[in-house]
Amino acid sequence: MNKRELFLRHVAQTSPAPLALDIVKAKGSILRDAAGKKYLDLIAGISVCNVGHCHPKVVKAVKKQVDDYMHLLVYGEMVETPQVQYAKWLTDQLPGSLNSVYFTNSGAEATEGAMKLAKRFTNRTRIVAFNKSYHGSTQGALSIMGDEYWRNAFRPLLPDVLHLEYDSMESLQEIDAHTACVFAETVQAERGVVAPSAQWMKALRDKCTETGTLLILDEIQTGFGRTGTLWGFEQFNIVPDIVLLGKALGGGMPLGAFAADQKIMQVLTENPVLGHITTFGGHPVCCAAGLAAFKVLLKEGIVDKVPGKTALFKELLQHPLIKAIRANGLLMAIEFENFEINKQVIDGCLRRGLLTDWFLFAPGCLRIAPPLTIAEKEIKKAARIILEVLDSVQA
Ligand code: PLP
């Protein structure tokens, strides 16, 4: 059996048509496969590699940490330097009330931890989330996922979950004194990059405050400069009670987190003690990588350059088959009439060495979310390929 056949036979499959590229090297915005073919990466591992693949400072930090120590003990017992330093750097860049960070292994686990924290802190059980939201694939996170197609096969799920319409003032009336928390994305990424109005976000914040409900903003995909500001919620002038982080948080290594005020977070320390447990959460090597990537992001002015890059993509991507472009920084959805067109574009781009994708709840939209470090000439090349492919599409 060749490597591809071994992959299909022994690595559990979740898709009938995996990309199955055999990548041997990744650097900046370029991936190279075993046959030497190069791919320009327009999806950054789904908004993970914000500072590019294998940034030398991230690689160096990982190597140093591996030399010092790897796993020591379960989460929260040891003073692990990379974890402590990263928590300090993150909280310095978050609003003052988000001053305590619980590190997990993934975004979904951040969602799970935040759910437990909100239930425990408020002594309430109801959880509100929005239609077409995505917060992860574990059972709690799946329970609040905003699409019945994806949830249905796995019932029974969590009880007392209420799904409301995103960006609807009317729906906010359903949030009341029984609601423990509301989960919301600052931009609904998997719906095909849909941002709410500023008034709605403000009204959501106010309604949560008024009813003693914790507002949990999911910045797992939108954080770390993806939308043109360090955090998506900055654009709405609001502060959540809990923020969820993941993806780019680890600089290419697996890491998630939920951050809140220590006054909220401390309920996890008592009754029961060890209110949330993880063996590997906040792994020192992942924290070292994440911290190095975060420093690169902050010190190299990468986020400031995002709006210019978004504008360049929008200016270049003009074609009769493009129905709409929705962009929040370098989280962009190029909308076509249907999935069939999108699939031809994705496949055609791949043949020409351009890696793109679709969205979970928006199969007719092409995902463009490259490393934030993508160069101007790479953007021009990517746009040229997309336009060439579009010219050959059978609509
Ligand atoms: N929340 C959002 C907005 C996401 O986009 C994702 C992943 O795509 C998650 C949560 C779950 O993160 P993970 O896949 O690390 O569990």
Side-chain angles (χ1 to χ4, degrees):
M1 271 198 232
N2 64 30
K3 219 198 289 181
R4 188 172 189 283
E5 286 163 349
L6 288 171
F7 163 74
L8 293 173
R9 172 72 186 86
H10 293 296
V11 179
Q13 299 291 309
T14 56
S15 156
L19 270 179
L21 299 177
D22 182 4
I23 301 299
V24 293
K25 201 86 190 160
K27 190 97 191 132
S29 304
I30 305 293
L31 308 177
R32 183 158 52 77
D33 74 10
K37 179 171 173 180
K38 286 184 179 167
Y39 297 86
L40 176 52
D41 181 7
L42 281 198
I43 48 175
I46 311 297
S47 302
V48 168
C49 309
N50 285 15
V51 300
H53 291 271
C54 292
H55 192 288
K57 290 190 175 150
V58 177
V59 173
K60 192 172 161 207
V62 167
K63 287 184 174 164
K64 177 180 181 311
Q65 188 54 44
V66 168
D67 277 343
D68 289 348
Y69 59 86
M70 292 185 271
H71 178 73
L72 294 180
L73 199 62
V74 295
Y75 178 81
E77 293 296 331
M78 295 289 201
V79 180
E80 298 187 8
T81 304
Q83 211 179 65
V84 175
Q85 286 181 341
Y86 201 11
K88 170 79 175 105
W89 271 76
L90 283 168
T91 51
D92 279 352
Q93 296 298 326
L94 284 165
S97 56
L98 300 172
N99 50 41
S100 175
V101 183
Y102 188 116
F103 287 108
T104 63
N105 302 281
S106 66
E109 283 173 78
T111 301
E112 300 288 338
M115 276 180 170
K116 286 172 64 184
L117 178 60
K119 283 164 85 172
R120 181 74 186 78
F121 182 75
T122 59
N123 263 320
R124 303 173 185 177
T125 54
R126 179 159 311 148
I127 298 176
V128 164
F130 294 99
N131 294 330
K132 303 297 173 205
S133 63
Y134 184 75
H135 302 289
S137 187
T138 49
Q139 298 220 36
L142 184 64
S143 305
I144 60 168
M145 187 176 187
D147 192 304
E148 186 56 17
Y149 167 75
W150 301 90
R151 286 190 306 252
N152 192 33
F154 302 99
R155 291 193 179 282
L157 292 167
L158 271 187
D160 216 2
V161 172
L162 188 62
H163 282 96
L164 302 179
E165 203 49 46
Y166 193 66
D167 202 16
S168 149
M169 287 292 185
E170 208 185 317
S171 72
L172 299 184
Q173 288 168 16
E174 303 288 330
I175 299 166
D176 60 21
H178 297 289
T179 317
C181 59
V182 175
F183 279 80
E185 293 163 271
T186 48
V187 175
Q188 287 199 313
E190 296 308 317
R191 187 175 166 192
V193 188
V194 175
S197 71
Q199 298 92 297
W200 183 76
M201 266 295 190
K202 172 85 174 52
L204 172 63
R205 173 65 277 180
D206 290 348
K207 187 73 184 182
C208 287
T209 306
E210 194 187 302
T211 55
T213 300
L214 296 183
L215 175 60
I216 302 174
L217 291 183
D218 182 339
E219 293 272 4
I220 290 169
Q221 191 156 173
T222 48
F224 298 90
R226 174 58 55 193
T227 64
T229 47
L230 190 56
W231 316 116
F233 62 75
E234 287 172 60
Q235 296 171 28
F236 299 99
N237 247 322
I238 58 161
V239 174
D241 299 298
I242 303 177
V243 69
L244 309 183
L245 304 174
K247 293 196 182 275
L249 172 72
M253 295 289 277
L255 194 61
F258 54 103
D261 196 311
Q262 201 178 23
K263 288 199 281 278
I264 298 176
M265 205 65 103
Q266 57 86 26
V267 298
L268 295 178
T269 64
E270 61 197 33
N271 219 357
V273 61
L274 301 175
H276 196 62
I277 302 174
T278 164
T279 299
F280 289 122
H283 191 281
V285 180
C286 304
C287 284
L291 176 58
F294 196 49
K295 287 181 179 173
V296 168
L297 191 73
L298 296 179
K299 290 181 178 173
E300 296 185 7
I302 292 168
V303 183
D304 294 341
K305 296 188 192 120
V306 166
K309 294 180 183 184
T310 312
L312 183 58
F313 266 118
K314 283 170 102 171
E315 180 195 318
L316 297 172
L317 287 176
Q318 299 201 20
H319 193 279
L321 286 179
I322 296 177
K323 279 182 62 191
I325 298 183
R326 283 185 299 281
N328 274 81
L330 284 174
L331 183 58
M332 305 179 66
I334 314 297
E335 188 177 340
F336 304 117
E337 192 62 44
N338 51 45
F339 174 68
E340 286 64 41
I341 296 179
N342 198 22
K343 177 88 171 75
Q344 289 181 61
V345 177
I346 293 169
D347 292 349
C349 285
L350 196 62
R351 279 193 297 276
R352 289 168 170 81
L354 187 67
L355 186 59
T356 60
D357 200 3
W358 45 289
F359 293 90
L360 214 50
F361 309 133
C365 290
L366 183 75
R367 182 193 300 264
I368 298 189
L372 306 183
T373 49
I374 189 169
E376 201 172 292
K377 67 173 191 307
E378 290 174 325
I379 295 176
K380 288 181 177 160
K381 182 177 174 187
R384 197 174 57 245
I385 294 174
I386 293 170
L387 294 177
E388 274 168 23
V389 172
L390 277 171
D391 282 341
S392 67
V393 158
Q394 321 264 303

